Amino acid sequence: GYMAFDSFTSNWQEALFREYSPSPVRMMRQVNLFSSSFAFLGLLLTAEAFTVPAFLARHPDCAVHVLLMSACSAVGQLFI
């Protein structure tokens, strides 16, 4: 499944770049917005959206690592 979706994603993005000519940063923002929304919907449907904040409140070290990893991931995308 992963390889099928991965090949679909690159072809889809190539078609979008060819037809609409968005900037790479705009494309990253839109894809990340969709991915974040999709992940949050999953958290809501499984009710984990309510347990994750409680877990992070009990383990603040983990919250720091999550935020640091998120920041590094966001900045790292600018260099791909």
Side-chain angles (χ1 to χ4, degrees), residues 24-25 28-29 32 66-80:
V25 173
M28 277 191 301
R29 184 187 68 225
N32 288 336
V66 168
L67 290 173
L68 183 60
M69 187 173 67
S70 298
C72 289
S73 176
V75 172
Q77 286 184 356
L78 297 173
F79 298 102
I80 293 177

Side-chain angles (χ1 to χ4, degrees), residues 23-56:
S23 72
V25 173
R26 182 173 183 201
M27 179 68 104
M28 277 191 301
R29 184 187 68 225
Q30 296 302 106
V31 169
N32 288 336
L33 181 63
F34 174 78
S35 298
S36 298
S37 301
F38 193 73
F40 188 69
L41 178 63
L43 288 173
L44 284 176
L45 291 175
T46 61
E48 290 181 25
F50 308 107
T51 59
V52 171
F55 175 84
L56 293 175

